[in-house]
Every structure is written in C-alpha cells, then in structure tokens.
Amino acid sequence: MAHCMRVLHGQGSRTKAVLLEIQERCFSRSPLAAAAAQVAMSKFDKEPLPYAKLTENLKIVKDRLGREMTLSEKVLYSHLDNPKEQDIERGTSYLRLRPDRVAMQDATAQMAMLQFISSGLPRVAVPSTIHCDHLIEAQVGGEKDLARAKDLNKEVYKFLETAGAKYGVGFWKPGSGIIHQIILENYAFPGLLMIGTDSHTPNGGGLGGLCIGVGGADAVDVMANIPWELKCPKVIGVKLSGKMKGWTSPKDVILKVAGILTVKGGTGAIVEYYGPGVDSISCTGMATICNMGAEIGATTSVFPYNARMEAYLKSTLRQDIAAAANEYKNLLTPDDGAPYDRVIEIDLSTLEPHVNGPFTPDLAHPISKLGEAAKSNNWPIDIKVGLIGSCTNSSYEDMGRCASIVKEALAHGVKSKIPFNVTPGSEQVRATIERDGIAQTLRDFGSTVLANACGPCIGQWDRKDVKKGEKNTIVTSYNRNFTGRNDANPATHCFVTSPELVTALALSGRLDFNPLKDELTGKDGKKFKLSDPYGDELPSRGFDPGQDTYQHPPADGSSIRVDVAPTSDRLQLLEPFDKWDGEDLKDMTILIKVKGKCTTDHISAAGPWLKYRGHLDNISNNMFITATNAENGELNKVKNQVTGEYGPVPATARAYKAAGVRWVVVGDENYGEGSSREHAALEPRHLGGRAIIVKSFARIHETNLKKQGMLPLTFANASDYDKVQPNDKISLLGLSNLSPGQPVDCELKHADGKTEIIKLNHSLNEQQITWFQAGSALNRMKEIAAGK
C-alpha cells in the first residue's frame, strides 16, 4: 500500500482518471487476492490462479442477473470475455468465453496442431498440453505394447513433440497415462474453465472445474487468443441425498442418471450435482460421474468444492491451490435457492448397483434384474472378458476396492474365470499400485496389466479370443459401449458397470451373478458370499510419481523445425476448403440416408483408423462405413446415383467429388453423439459434402460441422425425414439471406419429377454464418487477420 501511495504522489502530470484507476487497483486488491495471484495454476505453469479476476467478473454478472446462481453459472459466466454486456439467456445466447487452458489427446491433437500451423501464429496464447494416450494398442501387456506403439507411431509422436516445442505446448509422452487422469492429477482446479479435444474432458468436474469436450477447431480458437463460443447451457440439477454403502459406487450414480436422461437428455445442459450426498463421494469418484456425463450428451458436469476435493489436492501436492480454493468458496459452490431447469433426486442410501447395456450406455439395469433381462433378450450369459480401468474408473480407490474382492476370492482359492485386463489411468496410479502391492494382487487373480493408455476402451484392442461376427459378452468399467466400440466386432455385447462389479462378475463368469446375494464355490467346495468391497480413498504413503514423462516447451521455440513429409501416410498438411460461391445449393445428391443411431464412431470409425488422424485424405476412407443405409439396411453399401452401381460409401463420395457432384447426408435423431472427433465433420467436407440434414444433432458434432463450413440442418417437422428418398435431389434455397433463427427452404425433387418444399431449422448465429460463407472457421480467421 505504501508503494501505491508513492506511485500516486509521483504522478502530478497524469490525468485524474488515470490516478483513480491506479488508486482502485492498489487499494481494492485485498491480501487474499494478492495471495491467490501468487499461486500458479499448476507446477508446470507460470500463469496464476484466476480467482481474483473471476470474482470481479462474477460480481458484475450477479449484479446484472439479480438472483441466486448455480455453480455452473458462476464458473462459466465469470469467464465471459465481456461480462458487462454479454447477453445471458440459458438455451438461447451464445457466450463468448476465455478458457483457462486447452488439453489435447494425441489422436485429435494431430489435426488441431495442423490447423494451428495453418493459422500462421507463432505461439499458443493460453497454457496447452498434448497427451499421448490414444495410439497404444493392447496386445500382450503394458511394457511390450508401449514399446511397439512408440515404434509404430514414432513419426506422429515426433510431429507432436516438435510442434508442441515450437508453439509452446506441453508434451506428455506415450506411457504418461490417459489425458483426463493427467489433467485431474496436475491441472484441474476448482473454478477452472478448460476445453479439451476429447468428449470425456468433463472428468475434471470431479475437482470442481467446468471442463468441456470440443473439436480441434475450437481448441485452435482458444490457442489463437480468440474468444471461444458456446451456446449458453441450461443447468440440470442432480440432488444427492443419503450415503453410499456396500457394493454401490460412484459409477452407479451416472449409470442411474443415464437411464433417466438417455443418451440425448443432457444435450444443451450442464449437469450439476449438489446436496448432502455429495460429501460421501471421493474426488475421484466425482470425476467418474462427470466423465461419463458425456454419454448423456451433457455439455459438461460438475461438483461443488468440498473437503474431498481439498484432500485430493493435498495428496497430489497442491496444498497452495487447496488453501486458495478454501478462501474462494463463494465462487466454487452454488447459492442456496439457485434455479435449475430440471432437478433429479437420487437417494444414495437406496441406490442399487447398476449394469448398463448392451450397445448403448443408457440401457440401465439394477444388478438384481440384469440376469433376467439377459435371458429374456437372448444376450449371451457367459462373459468372455472383463476389463477394468480407463479414464472413467482407474483411481487408486477403484483399484484398491477391486483388490479387496480379489484377496477374499484368493483366500478361498478362486481366481477369475475369464481373461481380465487392467488399464491404469496414469503413470502415477500405476507406480503407486505397484508399490502398494495392489497390481500384484490383481495379477494373482489372473489379470493382465495393460499400458497407461486408453486401449480397449476406444477400440485399441488386438482381440484374439473370438472371431468377428461371433456373438459374445464382455463387461467393462469403461464409459461407452456402442456397437463395435471396443473390438470392432458388431456382435460383441458390451456392458458397462463399476470396476467392483466387473471383478465380481469375472469370478462367476456369468451375467446372472449378483454378488449382493449369490454365493461362489471355493476350492474346498464350500460356498461363500463376497463381502462388501473396500479401499483407501487416497494412498496413505502418498502417490508415487513413477517415471518423469513430461516435456516442457522451451521459452522460445521459433528455431525448431516441424517436418511433415509429403510422402507420409500418417500426416498431411491441410489445404483450405473452398469458399461458398454465393449461390443456392441446388440439385444435390444424397450420399446416404442413415437409419437409426449414427455416432461419430459410425461416421469416422476408430480402432485401426486412429493411425490416420493426422492424414485427412487417408482417414476419409472410413467415412460412414459402419452407418446403416436406410435404403437397404446394409453397412457401407450405397447406390451411386450417377452410374447406378452400388459400392462403399467413401468410394462413392470420391466419385461424386471427382465428377463435381455436390452431396448431402440425411440422418436420424441425436446424430453425431459420442466422441468429439472432428474428423466426422472434416471427412464429409473433404469429400465434397455440403450439408447434413437430420432430426437432431449432438452438441459437439454440430459445432464441428459449423467450423468446417458445412451446413448442419434439422427437419422442422421430424416426420419429413420419411419424405426423403435416397434418389431424391435436394436444393437449399435462399442461402444469400441465411440468418439466425430463420428456417431454410429445402426443395425435394423426387425421381418421378414431383417436387415439394420442406422447412429446415438451424442454430447458426451471425459469426457462424460467416464461417459457412468463408468455407470454414479457419478460413474466416485468416480473413480477419488480413483485415477483410
């Protein structure tokens, strides 16, 4: 304060306004704000915790709204680029936000960094990281699989490593762990606003942050210091009462919520958990719940700051962040009486363990009813493989609770009846469970400990025990179970549940086993019933960090060379998409009319295709290969409307592109649900697509389409989907007058020559319309930089 007084007295020639500004800055800065400003966001960052600035913004917004606010609103609105003037209306306004950081996994980082390179900017503007977790295939075990991945993907890893160093992005090497666990252990903090190029980014909500999955083009915006745009989400409140006990785990909360809301019930909303039951859930348990919120289409999910988060921060050596959060609880917790758009109430004391599936994560079954449902639906009762871990359930607590079950079973001479795979979420968790004997206990059970990576959860699984097309059942503690997701076998029935239930079901090998009441037979022939699982929330001796796998970017990377070989089949520099020519899109051909569920996995398959994520032309050969053609009910077989011949979807699209034929896709409900992969938008654009017309979109995919200059349109009347025939010609009229909130006229020209006009809605705002006109958001960014 004395220094501030000296500054004031020494500025006689300055204007009164400047003096008052300096005075306000000096005297309004409390010791608390000053202390928080000295705490870095992480041990890898020099940027301070933003609590002081967020609190200032929150006061502005709260004075404007004049009401109590939810936690989601507090964190989101306090990150507004212009809190004084921004329109704020849930479900309507487009918010312009300033996220604190960006995180990218290696599969999506390739395209994100290629786009950033195309922007011509010298360095990222916000703290950003790349995490190598998606390209490691599970074959035989952690060490060998990791070594093989490093060899197979060395070109991609080298590109990401050098691009990160050149442009100021931190690089987590292969073997570090899964992006979401690395974020939770090192970067997440209460009140954080982060975007991540992976749909399960919401995992960070377990530590009180708003962490939102996006496409790579959104990440480029933030890294380029452009305000990030998000449609103002509604807020769904989940009020938790009671206390979990016995076999019930945090996973059961989100499995129950998924059953209530379905895979699209959270679309356009943040799911916010609150109530007295919250305090009975560990920080990593809260992360599990938020992680799988992606499966209900939610923008993100979040928990309020509490003592369980404080304990986790301290255990991960972030005591200073915990201390600052304790002082800013008003920012990090909801107001009493805050308004929610919908409230769901769950009593944890009566919540039964759940198993969801197959083929969709919202088909919820209490464990007591699973066996009956399996028999009535003719699902395979015998389980072929059990898998635990992944970004959803690989915490120290998860592994410890599974180990307690295993120890009891081993005491009775019983091991897993089926192959059992364990995926540690991070190098820190792996090293700690090794040190504490948990990993060995799981090996004694018959487990294979895989690499610290996504592995089978995302289809990186070289599965050998069943043939493609063979009907079978697997049970996992993962988050997603769409058809063919884990092993590329459409006949695999995947069920998701808690790691504890996966372990118990592996002991019996059957879906109709209920550990809450059923008995097992020990080696001595005697019956025994499993005790309730238990495990330490956090390691009593602290975490073992394991191997150092992080590379910090140099202060100046301008001299570093990033090579992309023209002959590479893994990486390809991007060429700008063509601009809109100003004319209506007339007489477009329908490439495919999709029937039923069409996730981003259906549009751009994962598994073996992940290796081409940095090469747009090569990966485009997977476009729509697992989507169901409404014309014939077949996969990857569509009619070329020019030649009359049937062929694969990508080849047909390429033929249209070569002939100058513009095309559209027609789809069903919640089109593009699932993964955030922007390749599902890039590929149709690259191969000549102009519009996607569906009943409804999943949030991330709709935004990805807009970013790439595609028109994402929805039927004003959902029944008009049935009017569209695969051999129709489609015209989009009046595009020169395209404007927010105004429907687009669509002319359907049928094969018999008859025409009819239907209405199509869109959610494009004025800025997004300029993306369409420029050919892409990246094109528009360059236009702005050039002063156009």
Side-chain angles (χ1 to χ4, degrees):
M1 185 178 294
H3 170 71
C4 291
M5 290 296 291
R6 287 194 296 272
V7 170
L8 285 169
H9 285 299
Q11 301 296 326
S13 63
R14 293 240 182 149
T15 64
K16 185 177 180 181
V18 172
L19 287 172
L20 288 173
E21 180 182 347
I22 295 172
Q23 185 180 33
E24 180 181 357
R25 198 181 304 153
C26 292
F27 285 92
S28 65
R29 192 172 178 82
S30 67
L32 171 62
Q38 294 173 4
V39 177
M41 288 199 298
S42 83
K43 66 181 180 181
F44 305 107
D45 299 313
K46 64 177 185 290
E47 289 79 4
L49 283 175
Y51 287 160
K53 179 63 175 176
L54 298 183
T55 301
E56 291 174 13
N57 289 351
L58 177 61
K59 184 180 185 308
I60 294 169
V61 173
K62 196 161 189 178
D63 287 346
R64 288 179 56 200
L65 295 179
R67 61 167 173 81
E68 291 78 12
M69 295 173 65
T70 66
L71 169 62
S72 307
E73 293 178 305
K74 287 184 177 184
V75 177
L76 196 64
Y77 304 163
S78 65
H79 284 85
L80 286 169
D81 182 52
N82 183 359
K84 293 181 180 179
E85 299 176 328
Q86 168 73 63
D87 289 336
I88 302 172
E89 185 178 350
R90 290 182 189 171
T92 301
S93 307
Y94 277 88
L95 306 180
R96 292 169 68 81
L97 300 154
R98 291 288 185 178
D100 300 304
R101 70 178 313 113
V102 173
M104 299 168 281
Q105 41 94 334
D106 51 353
T108 50
Q110 295 171 61
M111 193 56 65
M113 293 309 296
L114 285 165
Q115 290 178 87
F116 188 82
I117 291 170
S118 296
S119 74
L121 295 169
R123 194 172 179 88
V124 299
V126 301
S128 304
T129 49
I130 294 168
H131 304 259
C132 295
D133 62 1
H134 268 58
L135 302 179
I136 302 169
E137 186 179 45
Q139 279 193 332
V140 294
E143 290 187 10
K144 290 183 178 179
D145 291 347
L146 178 59
R148 177 173 176 268
K150 287 180 177 179
D151 181 57
L152 289 174
N153 303 306
K154 57 188 175 184
E155 179 187 12
V156 170
Y157 291 147
K158 185 66 174 177
F159 166 73
L160 294 174
E161 182 180 8
T162 54
K166 184 174 184 66
Y167 296 105
V169 180
F171 181 70
W172 288 84
K173 301 173 185 178
S176 302
I178 304 172
I179 177 174
H180 312 303
Q181 297 309 303
I182 299 295
I183 293 295
L184 196 73
E185 294 169 359
N186 296 279
Y187 297 110
F189 61 82
L192 166 73
L193 178 62
M194 184 187 85
I195 64 168
T197 59
D198 189 277
S199 55
H200 294 103
T201 299
N203 191 81
L207 203 42
L210 287 188
C211 303
I212 302 175
V214 299
D218 279 1
V220 172
D221 280 356
V222 177
M223 292 190 293
N225 203 30
I226 296 172
W228 174 58
E229 195 171 70
L230 176 72
K231 192 168 188 179
C232 188
K234 296 183 177 181
V235 186
I236 298 173
V238 179
K239 185 177 182 180
L240 302 178
S241 60
K243 186 176 182 179
M244 286 187 303
K245 61 189 179 194
W247 284 85
T248 302
S249 75
K251 187 66 162 280
D252 299 307
V253 176
I254 185 57
L255 294 175
K256 175 72 173 179
V257 170
I260 295 170
L261 288 177
T262 77
V263 291
K264 64 177 183 176
T267 303
I270 294 174
V271 178
E272 181 175 320
Y273 295 84
Y274 69 103
V278 166
D279 291 337
S280 74
I281 305 173
S282 67
C283 176
T284 51
M286 292 186 239
T288 291
I289 294 168
C290 292
N291 177 294
M292 199 176 158
E295 307 317 315
I296 56 174
T299 301
T300 192
S301 301
V302 69
F303 278 82
Y305 178 67
N306 66 0
R308 308 299 282 268
M309 295 184 192
E310 179 183 6
Y312 185 77
L313 285 168
K314 290 179 177 178
S315 185
T316 51
L317 306 181
R318 291 176 284 175
Q319 297 90 334
D320 51 353
I321 294 179
N326 286 335
E327 298 297 334
Y328 282 91
K329 281 189 176 179
N330 179 61
L331 171 69
L332 309 175
T333 53
D335 294 332
D336 291 337
Y340 295 95
D341 293 284
R342 176 180 177 179
V343 173
I344 297 168
E345 297 193 24
I346 296 177
D347 181 358
L348 300 178
S349 300
T350 60
L351 179 62
E352 186 177 347
H354 274 60
V355 181
N356 286 22
F359 305 124
T360 185
D362 59 353
L363 186 56
H365 313 281
I367 186 63
S368 61
K369 297 180 180 178
L370 176 63
E372 177 186 338
K375 290 170 185 173
S376 63
N377 287 284
N378 196 31
W379 299 329
I381 295 292
D382 291 334
I383 304 170
K384 289 290 187 180
V385 185
L387 306 102
I388 65 170
S390 84
C391 65
T392 321
N393 274 111
S394 59
S395 68
Y396 185 84
E397 181 182 33
D398 288 330
M399 296 297 109
R401 282 170 64 88
C402 292
S404 75
I405 299 168
V406 169
K407 286 178 181 177
E408 184 174 19
L410 292 175
H412 288 275
V414 178
K415 295 184 178 183
S416 177
K417 286 192 174 180
I418 57 176
F420 193 82
N421 294 323
V422 179
T423 304
S426 70
E427 170 61 9
Q428 179 170 275
V429 167
R430 183 209 63 78
T432 307
I433 65 173
E434 287 286 2
R435 181 199 67 193
D436 293 350
I438 293 173
Q440 187 56 49
T441 297
L442 295 173
R443 288 191 189 95
D444 293 342
F445 183 59
S447 306
T448 299
V449 178
L450 301 174
N452 311 324
C454 300
C457 183
I458 61 162
Q460 285 284 41
W461 184 16
D462 185 20
R463 189 179 180 191
K464 302 292 189 183
D465 63 300
V466 297
K467 296 178 181 178
K468 291 290 190 294
E470 182 180 339
K471 192 174 177 181
N472 73 102
T473 286
I474 64 173
V475 182
T476 82
S477 70
Y478 303 159
N479 43 40
R480 191 161 282 167
N481 61 346
F482 301 142
T483 303
R485 166 77 177 182
N486 305 113
D487 60 2
N489 181 3
T492 293
H493 294 54
C494 176
F495 295 83
V496 292
T497 185
S498 67
E500 298 95 316
L501 273 185
V502 175
T503 306
L505 291 170
L507 282 164
S508 72
R510 293 178 58 87
L511 272 184
D512 56 0
F513 176 71
N514 179 359
L516 281 71
K517 67 179 185 64
D518 295 340
E519 293 182 320
L520 295 164
T521 302
K523 190 175 181 179
D524 58 5
K526 294 180 180 178
K527 299 285 187 179
F528 71 98
K529 183 172 169 290
L530 291 170
S531 304
D532 293 345
Y534 65 90
D536 290 336
E537 177 179 346
L538 296 164
S540 59
R541 293 192 284 163
F543 283 103
D544 182 336
Q547 299 179 37
D548 183 6
T549 54
Y550 176 69
Q551 174 181 290
H552 199 282
D556 181 3
S558 58
S559 63
I560 295 173
R561 182 180 177 87
V562 180
D563 286 326
V564 176
T567 56
S568 172
D569 70 345
R570 298 290 301 272
L571 298 165
Q572 180 187 47
L573 292 174
L574 297 174
E575 295 291 333
F577 290 132
D578 61 314
K579 291 184 63 172
W580 175 55
D581 60 10
E583 302 292 328
D584 287 342
L585 296 170
K586 293 183 177 179
D587 292 328
M588 292 186 291
T589 295
I590 297 172
L591 174 66
I592 182 172
K593 180 181 179 181
V594 179
K595 178 182 179 182
K597 187 184 284 287
C598 188
T599 70
T600 49
D601 275 344
H602 293 92
I603 306 167
S604 176
W609 293 95
L610 284 171
K611 65 183 180 181
Y612 296 123
R613 285 290 184 89
H615 198 293
L616 179 55
D617 194 57
N618 282 348
I619 198 171
S620 294
N621 289 321
N622 73 357
M623 189 181 72
F624 292 110
I625 60 176
T626 60
T628 301
N629 183 0
E631 180 188 17
N632 53 21
E634 297 191 54
L635 307 184
N636 202 26
K637 186 177 181 180
V638 295
K639 185 178 182 179
N640 184 317
Q641 300 298 333
V642 176
T643 66
E645 299 176 352
Y646 282 86
V649 186
T652 305
R654 289 185 186 278
Y656 288 156
K657 182 180 180 180
V661 176
R662 296 185 290 195
W663 52 264
V664 301
V665 168
V666 176
D668 217 315
E669 294 278 7
N670 205 31
Y671 178 94
E673 71 174 277
S675 169
S676 69
R677 67 191 64 156
E678 65 183 325
H679 296 78
L682 281 161
E683 293 173 31
R685 182 74 166 96
H686 173 62
L687 293 185
R690 295 293 167 173
I692 307 292
I693 305 170
V694 300
K695 293 180 182 178
S696 64
F697 284 103
R699 174 189 64 86
I700 299 176
H701 185 63
E702 183 179 22
T703 301
N704 286 345
L705 289 167
K706 294 175 183 179
K707 288 278 185 177
Q708 304 308 333
M710 293 282 281
L711 285 175
L713 305 167
T714 56
F715 294 105
N717 296 305
S719 60
D720 285 348
Y721 168 88
D722 298 317
K723 293 181 179 179
V724 180
Q725 302 304 309
N727 57 356
D728 284 349
K729 296 292 184 182
I730 289 183
S731 297
L732 301 177
L733 308 175
L735 293 183
S736 60
N737 296 316
L738 185 65
S739 57
Q742 296 301 310
V744 172
D745 286 333
C746 173
E747 180 188 75
L748 302 179
K749 186 182 293 183
H750 302 303
D752 60 5
K754 294 181 180 178
T755 63
E756 56 183 312
I757 299 291
I758 62 173
K759 294 287 186 181
L760 302 176
N761 294 329
H762 66 87
S763 63
L764 293 155
N765 61 26
E766 290 182 0
Q767 175 175 268
Q768 293 166 348
I769 290 171
T770 68
W771 299 345
F772 164 68
Q773 293 168 340
S776 71
L778 189 58
N779 287 358
R780 182 58 186 148
M781 183 192 301
K782 292 179 180 178
E783 287 181 352
I784 293 171
K788 296 181 181 179

